[in-house]
Amino acid sequence: MSFPIAPVAGALGAEIGDVDLSQELDDETIAEIRRTLVAFKVIFFRDQAMDDDVLARFGRRFGELAPLPPHRQVPGKYPELLIV
């Protein structure tokens, strides 16, 4: 899969379009997202419908998620998700 990439602020930051993070993404798409992240350091996905399940699943495609201190965790089954 190829998706549009729009730089946001020069070499730092890019918006990735036409990717629905609520769907299972294939390895090729994840690899392309990873390459974009390495190149731009920060990536944005606009207008996503994500709950904690989707967010944790997507995050795990990039590696093991580390539990956070209890006072910063999202209450429930995901100690790896941060309250912002």
Side-chain angles (χ1 to χ4, degrees):
M1 170 183 201
S2 187
F3 44 75
I5 300 168
V8 174
L12 181 63
E15 183 175 330
I16 293 176
D18 298 339
V19 175
D20 182 354
L21 300 180
S22 70
Q23 302 300 310
E24 279 289 336
L25 302 175
D26 59 38
D27 292 341
E28 179 183 332
T29 301
I30 292 295
E32 192 170 348
I33 290 170
R34 184 185 308 273
R35 286 190 295 274
T36 305
L37 177 59
V38 169
F40 289 94
K41 312 299 184 242
V42 177
I43 53 178
F44 303 93
F45 299 89
R46 303 276 184 208
D47 303 320
Q48 298 291 317
M50 297 179 72
D51 59 16
D52 291 346
D53 294 327
V54 171
L55 182 58
R57 183 185 74 224
F58 178 67
R60 287 189 183 107
R61 295 298 304 269
F62 295 89
E64 185 178 342
L65 302 178
L68 298 162
H71 67 282
R72 299 298 306 263
Q73 295 173 359
V74 172
K77 60 185 176 179
Y78 294 111
E80 307 93 345
L81 298 184
L82 175 68
I83 296 173
V84 177

